[in-house]
Amino acid sequence: MAKLSTNTGQSIEAVSARASGPWREAWRTFRRNRLALAGLIIIVFFILLAFLAPYISPYDYKEQVLTDRLQAPSAEHWFGTDDLGRDVFSRVLHGARISLWVGFFSVIGSIIAGALLGLVAGFYGKWADMLISRLFDILLAFPGILLAIAIVAILGPSLQNALLAIAIVNIPTYGRLVRSRVLSLRQEEFITSARTLGANNMRILFRHILPNSLTPLIVQGTLGIGTAIIEAAALGFLGMGAQPPDPEWGKMLSDSRQFLQKAPWTLIFPGLSIMLTVLGFNLLGDGLRDTLDPKMVK
């Protein structure tokens, strides 16, 4: 009986430990943030639209029916048609694929490049830190959208070049974040212990320092996706992003601006899509910051 009680007690402790793990606790905290949950729902909704766009679009987003041009929203065309008779609803659905693709992959590229540069600058210091920090200062000396425009102007207008430009512009944000984190971690006792046990620099960087720098990167990256989507829309609005007939939301706004009074629906629905998507990422990023940052008051 005593043995049974002991085993039962150990089982209860094990279950309790699993139930109160750091990720479960973070999820509980996150669920209590209704705005963050709303942001997550918005993002999941647009991601589902992007994946299902080829299957749920009522029309081909490239199909032009000039006899149906600038029709108001109706049962046949839920979001109306544009100046070439294309279904706006279908184009908004496929535009979600482009905008989310640019947002996610430009941020992933920025995080990878920025994290590597930040690790080197913060860990090795001296001339490496000075050189990389000056590079960050140069990039930050230019307004982000102007630097992106300059890069696309040099490389040529296209969606891929717009993605590359957005990634380059945002590298200093993540690089400086990781650098500051490395500077605070490299003198910690667990780093000293790892070095004493014979761990080399690469193992210390990627086994100990980088994993402990992921939390601020996740938060900043989530917020950065919304910013990247706005920057992609701005480049598309200027004709330097996605090229016709690709239905990028910013390009749709640019093509429809002359019909603001005659056919406002051609601007309203792409504009609302941009606003809601960016809002979703901002709400989710704020919620992750509140959940993952131990210094925040719960």
Side-chain angles (χ1 to χ4, degrees), residues 121 125-137 179:
K126 298 181 181 178
W127 64 268
D129 186 17
M130 183 185 68
L131 186 63
I132 294 173
S133 295
R134 295 299 78 77
L135 174 62
F136 290 163
D137 292 339
R179 175 184 175 273

Side-chain angles (χ1 to χ4, degrees), residues 2-249:
K3 185 177 180 180
L4 178 62
S5 300
T6 302
N7 291 337
T8 304
Q10 291 176 348
S11 300
I12 293 174
E13 289 179 1
V15 172
S16 177
R18 288 196 298 268
S20 59
W23 290 109
R24 286 183 179 272
E25 186 62 32
W27 172 242
R28 290 196 191 99
T29 304
F30 182 84
R31 284 189 305 176
R32 291 195 291 268
N33 190 328
R34 294 185 179 181
L35 289 178
L37 278 178
L40 179 61
I41 291 171
I42 292 172
I43 293 169
V44 171
F45 173 73
F46 276 97
I47 290 175
L48 288 176
L49 288 183
F51 275 110
L52 298 176
Y55 309 103
I56 62 177
S57 297
Y59 301 93
D60 183 351
Y61 71 88
K62 296 181 289 186
E63 183 181 3
Q64 301 180 14
V65 184
L66 296 179
T67 55
D68 293 339
R69 63 190 303 269
L70 298 179
Q71 286 192 1
S74 63
E76 185 178 2
H77 298 284
W78 292 356
F79 288 0
T81 61
D82 62 10
D83 59 311
L84 295 177
R86 297 172 296 191
D87 183 65
V88 175
F89 178 66
S90 300
R91 290 180 64 78
V92 167
L93 289 180
H94 284 84
R97 298 168 67 88
I98 295 176
S99 293
L100 290 174
W101 182 77
V102 172
F104 278 112
F105 284 97
S106 64
V107 167
I108 290 173
S110 298
I111 288 177
I112 293 174
L116 290 176
L117 290 172
L119 284 172
V120 172
F123 190 77
Y124 291 101
K126 298 181 181 178
W127 64 268
D129 186 17
M130 183 185 68
L131 186 63
I132 294 173
S133 295
R134 295 299 78 77
L135 174 62
F136 290 163
D137 292 339
I138 292 172
L139 291 175
L140 291 171
F142 298 92
I145 189 61
L146 292 182
L147 181 58
I149 290 172
I151 294 172
V152 175
I154 294 172
L155 299 177
S158 71
L159 183 63
Q160 291 74 18
N161 290 339
L163 187 154
L164 179 61
I166 294 169
I168 292 173
V169 165
N170 291 299
I171 285 175
T173 301
Y174 303 100
R176 296 180 76 175
L177 185 65
V178 172
R179 175 184 175 273
S180 64
R181 185 68 177 161
V182 172
L183 290 175
S184 64
L185 286 173
R186 68 180 184 179
Q187 303 300 330
E188 293 288 337
E189 292 183 0
F190 71 94
I191 299 297
T192 305
S193 300
R195 196 183 300 278
T196 303
L197 292 173
N200 57 32
N201 289 340
M202 295 299 292
R203 182 177 179 84
I204 291 173
L205 280 172
F206 293 100
R207 185 69 181 271
H208 299 287
I209 292 181
L210 183 59
N212 284 282
S213 304
L214 289 180
T215 295
L217 278 179
I218 292 172
V219 174
Q220 186 60 44
T222 305
L223 294 169
I225 293 174
T227 303
I229 290 174
I230 292 178
E231 291 171 344
L235 290 174
F237 186 84
L238 296 173
M240 306 185 77
Q243 300 300 302
D246 291 338
E248 196 273 326
W249 289 336

